[in-house]
Amino acid sequence: MARDDRPAPFLEISPYVRPPAAPCPALAADLRTEVAIVGGGYTGLSTALALQAQGVEAVVLERDFCGYGASGRNAGHLTPTICKDLPTARMLFGAETAGRLARFADHCVETAEATIRDLGIDCDYNASGNIMAVVHPAQEKRLRQAAETARSIGARMHYLEAGEMRARGLPAAFLSGALEEAGGTLHTGKFVSGLRAAALARGVRIFEGTAVQAIEPGRPALVRTAAGTVSAGRVVLAANAYAGEIAPPGDRQAPLYITLFETAPLSAEQRAALGGWPGREGIYTAHESMESYRLTAQGTIIGGSKDVQYFYDCAPHNHGGPEDARPASVIAAFRARFPELRDLPIAHCWAGWCGFTLNFLPLVGRHPAHDNLFHAIAYNGHGIAQATAMGPLLTDLILGRPNPWTEVICRKPAFMPPKWLRYPAVKAVLGVVNGIDRRMDGRVESGR
Ligand SMILES: Cc1cc2nc3c(=O)[nH]c(=O)nc-3n(C[C@H](O)[C@H](O)[C@H](O)COP(=O)(O)OP(=O)(O)OC[C@H]3O[C@@H](n4cnc5c(N)ncnc54)[C@H](O)[C@@H]3O)c2cc1C
């Protein structure tokens, strides 16, 4: 069969979520509540569920529908990755803090797994772990050292030699790799829709189609929307990459636009040609700006991630769509890694916004000047586990209860330059990173 090289359709959101058949009503009055949560992704919904379990009334205000943001668009790798990686965490924060971050990241994966189990969410979760794989021998030494460093500070990770990769039936382009034992892959849309359904079933009030325009500090704080206000004892900013458009510290992150694609289902022969991939482990590459691939429960491959985009105004709602996405580069990378699948059509592409910080840690905590305003945003591309773990953590913070992880993750926000300086700085970093990756890809292609 000849390959169909027509451009793959670009989806407005993703193949995994659709606007709900029965949307929650938009806010159309003034109301009072104990906690107002801005944003209906993993962070907002897990927080609403955890508060509700403690008998605290929470209201979720979502601009579009729950799952419209990164929580309905991501690649589905549930990972304990934290910071850029653990060697970077050790370099930035020292071995002891890096070790605590590694344990926190494992705790986040365990919390997400417990959430899936306890709420009975059927989201095709496959607890396979994820593999950071080398695609050229030149990447191997550094990855081995990274895995060793990670192990030395307590991460559950081990190196898979070439023979072990082949014994697992993994695609041949992935030569060897470091296996993150915790976590696996899931269907992102089913997960976020399951959280929404669980919150509604437990009596959480959700307002969809309700854009928050401003949060006015005070006691109570006032959350303003076009058609009503919510006066709340506490407010949680859970709008992730979009938070810069609403309130501080949303502007202390850089929103990056990331492109993904999904193939048509693989035939039995195509899958066999790859080696079978029976464990369906999630794979990312050891590039500076990684590629990600996973074989879904439906037998398709989801991939992408590299060649991320950044825009001067840091305002996601001014951008997004096919002209800002990078389907050609993510599909070219896929074709290079999977020559066995040269005739496999790409079914569709899509893209979404991720919040990044300069120390690669999320922004979690309480507003320094207003102690009833809380936030949890910017998970640096690792939010499935971390954002889901925010529910219990923020609930303890809000209720003033001790929590062993607040000290680890509630930190002073990392320095973020003003926008005029941030733009050339981020573009320069992305330019260097992409240049290194292009050279590596050139070596893979030429066999040097
Ligand atoms: C393409 C892509 C691939 C990714 N892959 C992975 C992966 O494989 N593994 C992983 O761990 N992480 C991944 N991530 C990151 C992960 O998806 C996020 O970290 C996580 O979903 C964050 O959840 P959240 O609830 O904080 O934010 P979001 O899901 O972005 O939710 C924020 C919500 O706020 C709403 N909102 C925005 N403005 C307003 C407003 N004014 N008023 C009210 N509501 C508003 C939005 O509509 C949105 O629903 C990926 C992200 C993207 C974009």
Side-chain angles (χ1 to χ4, degrees), residues 14 23 69 76 157 199 217 247 290 377 383 386 426 444-445:
S14 88
M157 179 181 281
M290 69 178 189
I377 57 172
Q386 292 173 30
V426 174
V444 175
E445 207 179 329

Side-chain angles (χ1 to χ4, degrees), residues 92-149:
L92 293 175
F93 309 111
E96 194 190 328
T97 301
R100 296 172 76 201
L101 287 169
R103 284 186 287 286
F104 170 71
D106 275 346
H107 157 79
C108 293
V109 170
E110 284 156 18
T111 305
E113 289 176 335
T115 303
I116 293 167
R117 199 176 49 240
D118 297 348
L119 298 178
I121 299 176
D122 173 9
C123 58
D124 304 339
Y125 179 51
N126 176 31
S128 57
N130 283 279
I131 300 170
M132 164 84 70
V134 305
V135 297
H136 188 281
Q139 294 174 315
E140 194 176 315
K141 186 172 168 204
R142 218 172 109 203
L143 185 62
R144 273 184 196 283
Q145 283 169 350
E148 217 23 71
T149 304

Side-chain angles (χ1 to χ4, degrees), residues 38-44 61-65 67-71 73-77 210-212 238-240 242 246 258 260 352-354 379 381-385 387:
V38 181
Y42 302 144
T43 304
L61 303 164
E62 163 56 49
R63 187 182 61 190
D64 289 274
F65 62 89
Y68 173 88
S71 301
R73 299 172 188 241
N74 64 66
H77 300 258
T210 300
V212 169
N240 198 33
Y242 311 89
I246 307 169
I258 302 181
L260 299 178
W353 295 97
C354 257
Y379 304 96
H382 313 307
I384 302 181

Side-chain angles (χ1 to χ4, degrees), residues 355-391:
F356 279 76
T357 59
L358 285 186
N359 65 3
F360 305 102
L361 291 182
L363 299 169
V364 183
R366 194 191 283 267
H367 193 291
H370 308 287
D371 66 1
N372 59 345
L373 304 185
F374 300 82
H375 56 268
I377 57 172
Y379 304 96
N380 294 271
H382 313 307
I384 302 181
Q386 292 173 30
T388 307
M390 284 306 138

